[in-house]
Amino acid sequence: MNKILQISEIGNPILRQKSVAIGNISDRQLDETIADLMATCEAANGVGIAAPQVAASVRLFIVASRPSPRYPHAPTMAPTAMINPEIVARSGELVAGWEGCLSVPGTRGLVLRDRAIEVTYFNRSGEFVRQELTDFVARIFQHELDHLDGILFPDRIPNLTDLITEAEYLKIAFDN
Ligand code: ZN
C-alpha cells in the first residue's frame, strides 16, 4: 500500500540541504520510496516531486507531467523516477515559464530555464538513461534538480513582480 507522505514547506531546513547520491540503486527500500513519492505527487496534483520534499535528502525525483487543475496545459507522460539525475548539456536558449511548487503553496513565479537539456539518470529498473528533454518536461527536470541542491523556484525569479498567487496564475492560464 502506497503512503501519502507529508510535504515539507519553505522554511523547513531540509529543503535547503544538498542531497546525497544514492549508492545502492537496486535497494528494495528505494522501490517503496519511489512508489510513495509517485502516490504523493499524484494526490497533490503535482507534475513532479523530489525526495527532499518528503524529508529524504537523497538524489531522487519523479517527473510526472499531466494536465491537472494546477497545470491545465501540461503534456501527459508516464510518471518517471529519476535517480542520481544530471544535466549533461544545455541548449542555452532560455525561456520564461510559470512555476509553482508543492513546498511553496499558493504561489507562482516566472522563471527562466533552458528550453532543451540533455540529461542522464538511473531509472526505477536501475538502467542508465540518457535522453533529451524539451519545453515543460525540461522545466520540471530543472526545477526538481534544483530541489536536490537546496534551491527553490523563488530563488530563480529575476524580478519579484513576477511572483504571484496561484489564483492570479490560474486566471492567466485559463485565458490562453
Ligand atoms: Zn518544487
Side-chain angles (χ1 to χ4, degrees), residues 53 101 143 147:
Q53 292 179 272
C101 181
H143 175 114
H147 274 300

Side-chain angles (χ1 to χ4, degrees), residues 20-57:
V20 297
I22 292 174
N24 183 4
I25 289 163
S26 55
D27 184 358
R28 299 285 303 169
Q29 179 62 41
L30 188 61
D31 205 53
E32 196 175 312
T33 304
I34 288 168
D36 291 345
L37 275 171
M38 285 183 175
T40 304
C41 186
E42 188 176 353
N45 285 321
V47 291
I49 194 168
Q53 292 179 272
V54 293
S57 201

Side-chain angles (χ1 to χ4, degrees), residues 4-152:
I4 305 297
L5 306 169
Q6 186 172 351
I7 298 169
S8 297
E9 296 186 350
I10 186 169
N12 188 316
I14 194 167
L15 293 172
R16 295 307 191 172
Q17 289 173 13
K18 192 168 165 67
S19 299
V20 297
I22 292 174
N24 183 4
I25 289 163
S26 55
D27 184 358
R28 299 285 303 169
Q29 179 62 41
L30 188 61
D31 205 53
E32 196 175 312
T33 304
I34 288 168
D36 291 345
L37 275 171
M38 285 183 175
T40 304
C41 186
E42 188 176 353
N45 285 321
V47 291
I49 194 168
Q53 292 179 272
V54 293
S57 201
V58 295
R59 300 189 80 78
L60 158 67
F61 56 67
I62 309 297
V63 177
S65 179
R66 63 183 174 119
S68 75
R70 292 181 67 245
Y71 293 96
H73 303 301
T76 300
M77 64 179 279
T80 304
M82 300 182 177
I83 300 161
N84 296 342
E86 287 182 41
I87 295 173
V88 294
R90 296 172 179 272
S91 65
E93 180 196 348
L94 297 177
V95 287
W98 291 101
E99 291 185 21
C101 181
L102 298 174
S103 294
V104 189
T107 59
R108 294 296 171 109
L110 203 52
V111 181
L112 290 169
R113 302 283 188 189
D114 275 281
R115 195 190 69 77
I117 51 176
E118 192 176 349
V119 306
T120 61
Y121 60 88
F122 291 88
N123 68 15
R124 193 174 183 170
S125 307
E127 297 156 342
F128 183 72
V129 178
R130 186 181 185 110
Q131 66 182 148
E132 189 183 336
L133 303 177
T134 59
D135 301 304
F136 190 65
V137 177
R139 176 172 298 278
I140 298 171
F141 187 101
Q142 290 169 85
H143 175 114
E144 302 306 335
L145 189 65
D146 272 353
H147 274 300
L148 305 188
D149 293 321
I151 298 164
L152 297 173

